[in-house]
Amino acid sequence: MLLEAQEGDETVVFTATAASLQIQVEPVGRWFEAYLKRRSRNASASFQELEEEQESSEESEDEEFQLEEYPMLRTLDPKDCKNQDHYAVLGLPHLRYKATQKQIKAAHKSIVLKHHPDKRKAAGEQIVEGDNDYFTCITKAMETLSDPVKRRAFDSVDPTFDNSVPSKNEGKDNFWDVYTPVFERNARWSTKKHVPKLGTMESSFEDVDNFYSFWYNFDSWREFSYLDEEEKEKAECRDERRWIEKQNRGARAQRKKEEMNRLRTLVDTAYGYDPRIKKFKEEEKARKESEKKAKVEAKKREQEEKERARQAEVEAARLAKEKEDEEAKQVAQLAKKEKEIQKKAFKKERQKLRTTCKNWNYFADNESEGVKMMEEVEKLCDRLELTSLQSLNEILALGSKDDSKAAVDQQVKRHIEVNAQLQKEKEAEVQIRQSARSAEQASGAGGAGGKNWGEEDLQLLIKAVNLFPAGTNARWEVIANYMNLHSTSGMKRTAKDVINKAKNLQRLDPVQKDDINRKAFEKFKKEHACVAPTIDNAVPSERFDGEWSYGNTASWTTEEQKLLEQSLKTYPVSTPERWEKIAAAVPGRSKKDCMKRYKELVEMVKAKKAAQEVAGKSKK
C-alpha cells in the first residue's frame, strides 16, 4: 500500500504497472484442511474466521467459570448413579451441555481435591468402605461426561430439558413469545450447526419458507441408549446378549419415533398459528384472485371482440343475402315475365292452330275422322314447342288444304314415333332393373364366390356359430375350418364365405329361419331313429343296463350343467363308484345321463381345439 503524499511532496511515475494476472493457487497443509471444512459446510473464509474467534472466546471463558457445588452430593446413592444429574455432581448445572472438556476436567479436579476419600479421611471424617461411598458418583459422572459417546447419550435425556410443546391456545395471541424459546431450545438436537431463527413479522417469504423446510426435514442426533433397561455387559452368554440388544433397539426406535412425532407436532402447531403464513396465504389468495379477475376480464374482452366480429360478419352476410335476394327477385320477375309472354304466345299459337284446323273441318270427310284428328291436334298443342307451333301455323296460313293436311299428318306421325321411342327406352330400363334384381337374388341364394350352400351346410354353419360364440379367437377362421372338417359336400369354405352367408341368414325372415331349423331337427330325428335290431331274449350287459337305455332325454339346464361340472371336480377319476356319486349330486339325472353328457362335452372340446389349431396353422 502506497503512503499518502505529504504536503509539498511530488509523486512521480517511473515505470508503468504490468497488467494483472489471474493465478490458480491450491491450498496445502492446515489451509487445505480449513478449505475442506468450509466447502463441506458451505461457508466462506470470513465466516470461518468468526467461528475461530468464537472458539477462542469460549476458551477464554473456560478460565473464568465458577463451580456450583451440589448440595445433595453427600446423600447420593452410588447404586443409583444412572439416575443422577452428572453436571450437578461436578458443579456444572449452569453450563450443562455447553461445558467444554477443559471445564469438565477442571471441575472434576476441584471436586476430587475436596471430596476424595483420602482427603476426608485425613480430615477425620468416617469413610464408607468399598463402592458405597458417594465419591463413586463423582467418578461415574466423570466417566460419562468425558466420553463423547456417553455424554451425547446423557445429553439426549437431559432431565432439565423441557420437552413440552405449546398447546393450540397458548400461541394464538403471543406467538413470538411462546414459540421462539421453544424452537431455540430444540435447536440443540440438530445435526447441522447453524439453525435458522423463527424470525419476526417482517421476515420475507424465503426466510419463512427456509425455516419451516428446515424443521419439517429436521435431522436430530438425539438418541435414547442411556435409558436402556438392560445392559448387555451383564449378559452371561452370547444369546442373552443378542436378546438384550434386540430389546434395547426396539425401545430406542419407539422413543425416537415419539421424539420425531413431538417435533412434528411442534412444527405443525407453529405453522398453523404463524401470522406470517396467514399473511402469505392471504397475499397469495389476493394474487390468485387478481390473476383470475384479470383472466376473466381478458376473456370477457376477447368474447366481446369475438361478438363484435360475429355481429359484423352477420351484418355483412345479411347485406349480402339481401343483395342476393334482390337480384334473385329481379331474375325471378324477369323469368316470370318471360314465362307469361311465352305462355301467352303458346296460348295464341295453340288457339291459332285449333282455329285453322277447325276452319278446314279438321281435314276430315266424316265425323269420326274429324274427332280423331281433333284429338291429335290437341296432343300437338300440348306437346309441340313454341317454334314448332309457329312454323306449323305459318305453313297452315300460306298453304292449301292439302298442304296443311300433309303438314299436320307429318307432325302427328313424328309425334307417334317419338312416343314409341320413349316407350321402348322405358321398357328397356325396366328389363335391366329386373335382370339386375334377379342376379342379386341369385348371388344371395348361391353364397359368396358362387359356392352352393345346401341344407346340410346351412345346418352345419348354424351349429358352428353356436359352438364358437362371439369372443372366440379368430372366430370365423375357426368356423370355416370346422365346416371344412365336418362337411360332406366337399366344398372348401373361407372365412369370407362364412361371414357373407351368416349375414344373409341374419337377413332371412323368421319363417325361413324356422324352416331351416325344422329341417335340421327332422334330419336329426331321422338319423337317430334307426336302432340296431336286438334279440328278444338278450340280456343287458353290465355296462349298458336298463337305466342306460331309458335315460332322461330332456336337455340339460344351466343349473344341472354347473352341478355336473362341480361334481366332476369334487370326485376325481380315482374315486370309487365315481359316476354313482356324480349322479347323486345332480338331481333328476341318472348315471347314464351324466356319462353321456360328459362324452358330449369331451367331443365338443376336442372339436373346438382341432378347429382352432387348423385356424392357427392357416394364419401362419
Side-chain angles (χ1 to χ4, degrees):
M1 182 176 179
L2 295 177
L3 297 176
E4 184 178 357
Q6 299 295 329
E7 186 177 355
D9 293 343
E10 294 183 359
T11 58
V12 180
V13 178
F14 294 95
T15 58
T17 57
S20 59
L21 298 177
Q22 185 176 1
I23 301 175
Q24 185 175 2
V25 179
E26 295 184 358
V28 295
R30 60 188 180 89
W31 293 278
F32 182 73
E33 183 182 359
Y35 166 72
L36 287 179
K37 188 183 295 184
R38 291 197 304 271
R39 190 175 68 174
S40 62
R41 298 166 56 188
N42 196 17
S44 62
S46 59
F47 185 80
Q48 186 176 359
E49 292 176 358
L50 292 175
E51 283 192 340
E52 292 176 355
E53 291 179 2
Q54 184 177 0
E55 290 177 0
S56 63
S57 64
E58 289 178 356
E59 291 178 359
S60 63
E61 289 177 0
D62 291 345
E63 301 174 356
E64 302 174 358
F65 81 99
Q66 294 180 355
L67 295 178
E68 295 180 6
E69 187 173 351
Y70 187 40
M72 305 294 292
L73 179 60
R74 295 176 180 274
T75 62
L76 292 177
D77 184 5
K79 297 180 181 180
D80 195 24
C81 292
K82 189 173 182 180
N83 296 324
Q84 72 182 10
D85 187 354
H86 299 309
Y87 289 110
V89 170
L90 295 182
L92 301 173
H94 57 292
L95 295 178
R96 305 200 71 78
Y97 70 95
K98 295 180 181 180
T100 63
Q101 286 296 324
K102 189 175 181 180
Q103 291 174 337
I104 293 174
K105 290 178 181 179
H108 178 255
K109 182 178 180 181
S110 177
I111 294 293
V112 167
L113 290 175
K114 186 176 181 180
H115 295 279
H116 194 275
D118 293 341
K119 294 283 185 180
R120 290 185 288 138
K121 188 175 183 180
E125 184 178 345
Q126 187 177 359
I127 306 301
V128 181
E129 297 296 334
D131 294 335
N132 295 325
D133 190 69
Y134 70 89
F135 187 78
T136 306
C137 297
I138 299 175
T139 306
K140 184 66 176 178
M142 184 58 188
E143 289 178 359
T144 302
L145 299 182
S146 61
D147 187 348
V149 177
K150 293 182 179 180
R151 182 181 180 185
R152 169 163 286 196
F154 176 74
D155 287 341
S156 298
V157 294
D158 192 344
T160 62
F161 180 76
D162 186 5
N163 287 302
S164 63
V165 176
S167 63
K168 295 182 179 180
N169 297 325
E170 290 180 12
K172 283 186 177 180
D173 300 328
N174 49 352
F175 177 80
W176 314 107
D177 298 337
V178 172
Y179 284 95
T180 299
V182 176
F183 279 106
E184 287 180 353
R185 71 170 175 262
N186 281 279
R188 63 182 286 189
W189 310 124
S190 176
T191 56
K192 298 178 182 179
K193 191 168 184 179
H194 301 285
V195 180
K197 301 295 183 181
L198 181 61
T200 61
M201 191 64 187
E202 289 73 23
S203 299
S204 63
F205 176 80
E206 289 75 14
D207 294 339
V208 177
D209 183 66
N210 183 33
F211 173 79
Y212 283 106
S213 298
F214 176 85
W215 281 97
Y216 272 117
N217 301 292
F218 189 76
D219 187 10
S220 174
W221 57 262
R222 193 176 189 185
E223 50 94 10
F224 300 92
S225 60
Y226 191 83
L227 298 178
D228 292 344
E229 295 181 1
E230 303 288 343
E231 295 182 6
K232 65 180 182 179
E233 290 79 7
K234 297 180 180 180
E236 297 180 356
C237 62
R238 182 176 60 182
D239 293 336
E240 185 178 357
R241 185 165 57 253
R242 288 179 177 177
W243 180 84
I244 291 173
E245 289 178 353
K246 183 178 179 181
Q247 296 295 323
N248 291 337
R249 282 198 303 270
R252 293 174 194 173
Q254 180 63 28
R255 293 190 180 99
K256 184 70 173 180
K257 183 178 179 181
E258 293 175 356
E259 169 66 9
M260 298 312 295
N261 289 336
R262 183 187 71 84
L263 291 175
R264 185 58 182 256
T265 303
L266 170 63
V267 179
D268 288 340
T269 307
Y271 187 86
Y273 289 98
D274 195 336
R276 298 169 300 180
I277 299 298
K278 296 179 181 178
K279 182 183 72 171
F280 294 148
K281 287 183 177 180
E282 291 175 357
E283 292 176 355
E284 182 68 14
K285 184 178 179 181
R287 185 184 64 80
K288 288 183 178 180
E289 288 180 355
S290 62
E291 290 180 356
K292 183 178 180 181
K293 187 176 180 181
K295 287 182 180 179
V296 171
E297 291 178 354
K299 188 175 181 180
K300 185 177 180 181
R301 288 195 298 270
E302 184 180 357
Q303 290 179 352
E304 290 175 354
E305 291 177 358
K306 288 182 178 180
E307 183 65 21
R308 284 195 295 269
R310 190 186 66 81
Q311 291 292 344
E313 291 178 359
V314 169
E315 184 65 19
R318 185 183 65 80
L319 295 176
K321 191 174 184 307
E322 288 180 356
K323 185 178 179 181
E324 185 179 353
D325 293 343
E326 186 65 24
E327 292 176 355
K329 186 177 180 182
Q330 293 177 1
V331 172
Q333 288 178 355
L334 292 175
K336 185 177 180 182
K337 289 180 180 179
E338 292 178 358
K339 188 176 181 180
E340 289 177 355
I341 294 172
Q342 191 175 9
K343 185 177 180 182
K344 289 180 181 179
F346 262 112
K347 187 176 181 181
K348 181 179 179 182
E349 296 298 330
R350 289 169 181 169
Q351 187 63 32
K352 190 175 181 181
L353 177 60
R354 292 189 186 100
T355 304
T356 304
C357 292
K358 186 177 181 181
N359 292 335
W360 292 105
N361 199 18
Y362 294 101
F363 311 105
D365 296 334
N366 51 43
E367 186 175 355
S368 60
E369 292 179 358
V371 172
K372 186 176 179 181
M373 182 57 70
M374 184 185 300
E375 292 177 356
E376 296 296 335
V377 170
E378 288 298 327
K379 290 180 181 180
L380 291 176
C381 291
D382 291 338
R383 298 182 180 179
L384 287 180
E385 296 180 357
L386 181 58
T387 55
S388 301
L389 285 173
Q390 289 175 351
S391 60
L392 180 59
N393 285 330
E394 289 177 358
I395 294 172
L396 294 177
L398 299 176
S400 60
K401 181 177 180 181
D402 294 335
D403 295 336
S404 301
K405 183 178 180 182
V408 172
D409 290 340
Q410 185 179 0
Q411 290 291 338
V412 171
K413 185 178 180 182
R414 187 180 299 169
H415 173 64
I416 292 172
E417 292 176 355
V418 170
N419 287 341
Q421 183 66 25
L422 292 175
Q423 185 66 24
K424 188 176 180 181
E425 292 177 357
K426 187 175 181 181
E427 291 177 357
E429 184 179 357
V430 171
Q431 187 175 3
I432 291 171
R433 289 181 181 176
Q434 290 179 353
S435 61
R437 190 179 298 109
S438 301
E440 184 179 357
Q441 292 177 355
S443 63
K451 298 178 182 178
N452 296 325
W453 288 77
E455 290 184 3
E456 183 181 355
D457 291 341
L458 292 176
Q459 295 167 8
L460 191 60
L461 175 60
I462 294 172
K463 181 179 178 181
V465 169
N466 294 327
L467 187 61
F468 303 102
T472 305
N473 188 21
R475 182 191 183 196
W476 295 108
E477 287 80 1
V478 172
I479 292 174
N481 292 321
Y482 179 82
M483 292 191 64
N484 294 333
L485 288 173
H486 297 82
S487 177
T488 59
S489 63
M491 297 292 293
K492 295 296 181 182
R493 311 289 182 183
T494 63
K496 188 175 181 181
D497 299 338
V498 173
I499 292 173
N500 292 334
K501 194 60 185 176
K503 289 182 179 179
N504 291 335
L505 290 176
Q506 287 179 352
R507 289 196 292 267
L508 291 177
D509 295 335
V511 178
Q512 293 175 318
K513 292 182 180 179
D514 294 340
D515 185 51
I516 293 174
N517 293 329
R518 181 179 55 77
K519 289 181 180 179
F521 181 70
E522 290 177 356
K523 182 179 179 182
F524 175 79
K525 286 177 62 179
K526 190 175 181 181
E527 291 177 353
H528 291 75
C530 300
V531 182
T534 57
I535 302 174
D536 294 338
N537 57 355
V539 179
S541 64
E542 294 181 359
R543 183 177 179 184
F544 300 96
D545 52 1
E547 184 180 355
W548 183 275
S549 303
Y550 299 95
N552 191 353
T553 58
S555 60
W556 283 70
T557 62
T558 306
E559 292 295 330
E560 291 176 344
Q561 182 68 28
K562 290 182 179 179
L563 291 173
L564 176 62
E565 294 175 358
Q566 184 62 36
S567 302
L568 290 172
K569 295 177 182 178
T570 305
Y571 305 108
V573 180
S574 59
T575 305
E577 298 182 356
R578 182 192 184 198
W579 290 105
E580 287 79 0
K581 295 179 180 180
I582 293 174
V586 183
R589 294 292 177 177
S590 63
K591 172 184 175 182
K592 181 227 175 187
D593 295 336
C594 296
M595 296 178 69
K596 187 177 179 182
R597 182 59 179 172
Y598 174 73
K599 287 187 176 182
E600 291 176 356
L601 294 175
V602 170
E603 292 176 358
M604 191 181 300
V605 171
K606 288 181 178 178
K608 273 191 176 183
K609 288 183 178 179
Q612 289 177 350
E613 289 177 0
V614 174
K617 292 179 180 179
S618 61
K619 272 192 171 184
K620 293 179 180 178

